[in-house]
Amino acid sequence: MIGGILIGAAIGVVLGTISGCTPGIHSNTMAGILLGVHPALLVLFGPAVFATSVTATLITHTFLDAVPSTFLGVPDPDTAISVLPAHDLCMKGLGEEAVRISALGSAAGAAFGLVLFPLFFFLLPPLQPYLDWWIGLLLLTVTGMLVVRSEAPEWAAVVFIASGVLGSFSLAYSYLSWEVLPGGSPLLLPLLTGLFGLPVLMKGAGGSIPEQIYRGIRMERREIAGAAAAGTVAGAIVGWMPGFSNATANAVLASFISYTRHGRGYILATSAANTANAFLGIAALYALSRARNGAMAAIATDELPPLAGIMLAACIAALAAYPLTILVSKGSRYLAALNVRRLNFSVILFLVVLTALVTGPFGLFILALATAIGSVPPMVSVQRVFCMGAIMVPIICWSILGIPLF
């Protein structure tokens, strides 16, 4: 049993590192690949290896996904908004600091997630029917706060509604897209890449990456603790709620932590939310038999292995992923020699081709619409957070009106 857990954790750390460092690739994609080779893993190693490898992939990915977000401005679907302050620090020559802050947040999210795990596992299942309904009102309140506090409330509402309509349309007609790999909604790739990724890449196509210098993490301990706690709570909540993703947690956090004025704190909080969400998603799977993400859905295809083995693999992955993230961040010092125009064009081309392969013509259509909407906020002095209507509006409709997400 222990041997299978260790083998699965090692496989997951390798795959999670690859998926985390590759722009546009989600942990669900690697979960789908593992699901495809599931029979071979069963024959070679036994059932425990598959579940632990998927779990370790998910946890490792939450650490390493800060790399393409910071240095290339390409969002992971789970942490779309955090790309903005992270990439901004990179443009100031502080990209390595941004990645280290993200790694610190993920480590805090893993630690706090373990502490909260028993509470969620034993106490929340009886309250689930009530939680499902109230979450829609919470999101409406958060949205109202964001719109009222924005510099241009009318435009903020327009961007939020337009992205919400696009998100609802994408979910309603998701069957028109190709489903090359199982797990999660494939249209999240073109939807969030268009809203948060391509506009940033196209805007910076003619720029250059400045020399990267690491001078330490410039955050006070109190700020680190506060951001880690806020991120863990947000990640824990969305990790438990059906239909939610870390993108929702990012939007909720944006109403409390300004990603323009407190960028470092926001990076840390969103990273903590991302990893805490992964840990609490495991609790939801075992306590409620509900899969909160594609990785958990892949695990649920078989009889669930013992919870202790899954949690051990998750902890091993977190312990390995933190130093790996720090190691990868040091490579940023060589980025100044790159041709940014050619690099950004290559990444844009890669994302378009990846969208075409994974989602087909309909995915490309969604990508084009999302890019058009995602280009509007900077033109009208509105924060890009309002593009999160693509995620929040469908969840509000599901929670309050009972309209299904899929």
Side-chain angles (χ1 to χ4, degrees), residues 9 69 96 109 115 117 126 139 165 173 216 224 264 362 367 392 394:
S69 296
E96 184 175 346
V115 173
F117 194 96
L139 289 182
V165 170
Y173 293 94
I224 292 174
R264 289 175 173 84
F362 187 69
L367 180 65
M392 297 174 74

Side-chain angles (χ1 to χ4, degrees), residues 327-343:
L327 179 63
V328 172
S329 72
K330 294 180 179 180
S332 65
R333 300 167 191 178
Y334 303 100
L335 291 176
L338 297 178
N339 184 314
V340 176
R341 183 181 183 87
R342 188 175 301 170
L343 176 64

Side-chain angles (χ1 to χ4, degrees), residues 248-263:
T248 313
N250 290 183
V252 173
L253 286 168
S255 65
F256 300 100
I257 304 175
S258 172
Y259 63 82
T260 55
R261 294 192 301 272
H262 306 288

Side-chain angles (χ1 to χ4, degrees), residues 122-147:
F122 292 108
L123 296 184
L124 288 188
L127 303 176
Q128 192 64 38
Y130 305 99
L131 297 175
D132 288 347
W133 190 82
W134 280 98
I135 200 64
L137 294 181
L138 172 63
L139 289 182
L140 277 177
T141 302
V142 169
T143 301
M145 291 172 56
L146 290 172
V147 170

Side-chain angles (χ1 to χ4, degrees), residues 338-354:
L338 297 178
N339 184 314
V340 176
R341 183 181 183 87
R342 188 175 301 170
L343 176 64
N344 283 354
F345 177 78
S346 299
V347 174
I348 291 172
L349 181 62
F350 172 77
L351 292 173
V352 172
V353 172
L354 180 65

Side-chain angles (χ1 to χ4, degrees), residues 63-235:
F63 281 79
L64 274 298
D65 61 3
V67 175
S69 296
T70 300
F71 299 119
L72 300 177
V74 179
D76 181 279
D78 282 344
T79 54
I81 309 177
S82 63
V83 65
L84 305 176
H87 193 60
D88 180 61
L89 285 176
C90 176
M91 291 296 99
K92 296 176 181 177
L94 303 174
E96 184 175 346
E97 180 187 357
V99 175
R100 285 174 178 257
I101 290 173
S102 177
L104 182 61
S106 290
F112 287 139
L114 285 174
V115 173
L116 293 175
F117 194 96
L119 174 67
F120 277 62
F121 188 82
F122 292 108
L123 296 184
L124 288 188
L127 303 176
Q128 192 64 38
Y130 305 99
L131 297 175
D132 288 347
W133 190 82
W134 280 98
I135 200 64
L137 294 181
L138 172 63
L139 289 182
L140 277 177
T141 302
V142 169
T143 301
M145 291 172 56
L146 290 172
V147 170
V148 170
R149 292 167 56 183
S150 67
E151 295 183 11
E154 299 84 358
W155 277 110
V158 168
V159 172
F160 183 83
I161 293 172
S163 60
V165 170
L166 179 60
S168 301
F169 173 78
S170 300
L171 291 174
Y173 293 94
S174 61
Y175 61 87
L176 294 177
S177 69
W178 296 352
E179 294 187 11
V180 177
L181 297 172
S185 173
L187 289 179
L188 283 180
L189 169 63
L191 183 64
L192 294 181
T193 296
L195 290 172
F196 295 96
L198 293 191
V200 175
L201 288 170
M202 291 188 294
K203 183 179 179 180
S208 61
I209 297 179
E211 182 182 359
Q212 301 293 307
I213 301 175
Y214 178 63
R215 302 187 181 94
I217 294 177
R218 289 183 283 181
M219 295 178 66
E220 296 182 358
R221 291 184 178 180
R222 181 178 299 180
E223 184 183 5
I224 292 174
T232 299
V233 171

